[in-house]
Amino acid sequence: GESVGLHLPTLSVQEGDNSIINCAYSNSASDYFIWYKQESGKGPQFIIDIRSNMDKRQGQRVTVLLNKTVKHLSLQIAATQPGDSAVYFCAENADTGRRALTFGSGTRLQVQP
Amino acid sequence: ETGVTQTPRHLVMGMTNKKSLKCEQHLGHNAMYWYKQSAKKPLELMFVYSLEERVENNSVPSRFSPECPNSSHLFLHLHTLQPEDSALYLCASSPPGGDEQYFGPGTRLTVT
């Protein structure tokens, strides 16, 4: 994948289990957060986003949780499938007027069949 | 597919060559971005164009020159690159009033 060579934390789960990927952000002024999935040979794919006025948002098989007190973001994937294997990035936008995102280094999710 | 396309998908160039990367979107988005993704670093923002005006240049060397002729097209002109510029170059776009960014598949650049 595009992050080969980068030392990424890896989460290995069994197919059918739930996955939780965590992200710590540093800027308490950040008011928008987003999760991306990147498969090998592809660009990052939007999964789900959340604004700071919420602490939970659900999508199809995915849930994002935001804890502003400890500046922590998590992505929960229900009933993980082999197709979920990828690198997952969180990103934050500390200033919506800037229209720029700051990305984390990512977590590699490996789903064992 | 997000609707953001990039060409070429792969490019090998020598250090003295001049080449251009192209990004295109017909999603009605009004902001476009160039990112660099290298093997040993997270995604790095290079340039931001909003309403066809460059609004951010993150200390990118002058051997990278962006161009945004209209809201649907974005180019990255490359000249006299270095081997350390080898990376995946990603284009993204954002809708009006939106913070989410949609990425293209990237151009894998190798500088020899």
Side-chain angles (χ1 to χ4, degrees):
Chain A
E2 280 64 35
S3 295
V4 170
L6 188 67
H7 177 65
L8 295 176
T10 298
L11 175 65
S12 186
V13 301
Q14 290 293 125
E15 180 179 359
D17 287 352
N18 296 333
S19 302
I20 300 176
I21 300 172
N22 297 304
C23 180
Y25 64 94
S26 57
N27 193 336
S28 58
S30 295
D31 67 353
Y32 176 77
F33 305 88
I34 188 168
W35 280 100
Y36 286 95
K37 170 187 180 183
Q38 188 172 24
E39 297 174 273
S40 181
K42 297 184 179 180
Q45 175 188 355
F46 171 87
I47 302 174
I48 191 168
D49 58 2
I50 188 169
R51 295 210 173 269
S52 58
N53 61 351
M54 303 173 68
D55 53 19
K56 179 179 180 179
R57 191 168 185 215
Q58 290 185 288
Q60 187 176 15
R61 274 200 314 120
V62 295
T63 300
V64 55
L65 298 177
L66 176 62
N67 185 330
K68 294 182 286 293
T69 302
V70 295
K71 293 188 286 189
H72 183 267
L73 192 69
S74 68
L75 177 70
Q76 300 179 358
I77 305 174
T80 313
Q81 302 168 0
D84 295 326
S85 294
V87 176
Y88 289 81
F89 298 94
C90 67
E92 61 185 297
N93 183 354
D95 180 359
T96 56
R98 186 169 167 256
R99 302 202 77 176
L101 297 174
T102 301
F103 285 79
S105 55
T107 297
R108 186 179 304 278
L109 176 66
Q110 294 179 338
V111 182
Q112 309 297 328
Chain B
E1 294 295 326
T2 62
V4 180
T5 61
Q6 290 187 244
T7 55
R9 294 294 309 277
H10 300 272
L11 177 63
V12 179
M13 59 186 289
M15 294 168 62
T16 58
N17 290 160
K18 290 184 180 181
K19 296 286 184 183
S20 296
L21 310 184
K22 180 181 177 181
C23 176
E24 189 170 349
Q25 58 87 13
H26 295 286
L27 303 169
H29 292 179
N30 67 350
M32 297 185 78
Y33 311 78
W34 280 117
Y35 285 89
K36 176 183 179 182
Q37 188 175 39
S38 54
K40 300 185 178 179
K41 294 182 181 180
L43 239 62
E44 299 174 82
L45 179 65
M46 300 175 73
F47 302 104
V48 181
Y49 276 82
S50 181
L51 299 173
E52 301 160 42
E53 178 183 351
R54 190 191 314 179
V55 297
E56 188 151 344
N57 176 345
N58 275 3
S59 302
V60 179
S62 59
R63 57 185 183 269
F64 295 91
S65 175
E67 178 190 2
C68 188
N70 55 60
S71 60
S72 299
H73 295 86
L74 184 67
F75 295 90
L76 187 62
H77 304 300
L78 316 171
H79 64 98
T80 58
L81 294 192
Q82 304 298 311
E84 60 264 29
D85 296 322
S86 298
L88 182 70
Y89 288 85
L90 290 159
C91 173
S93 66
S94 290
D99 294 300
E100 69 274 25
Q101 295 179 19
Y102 296 91
F103 284 83
T107 295
R108 170 66 64 188
L109 174 68
T110 303
V111 181
T112 61

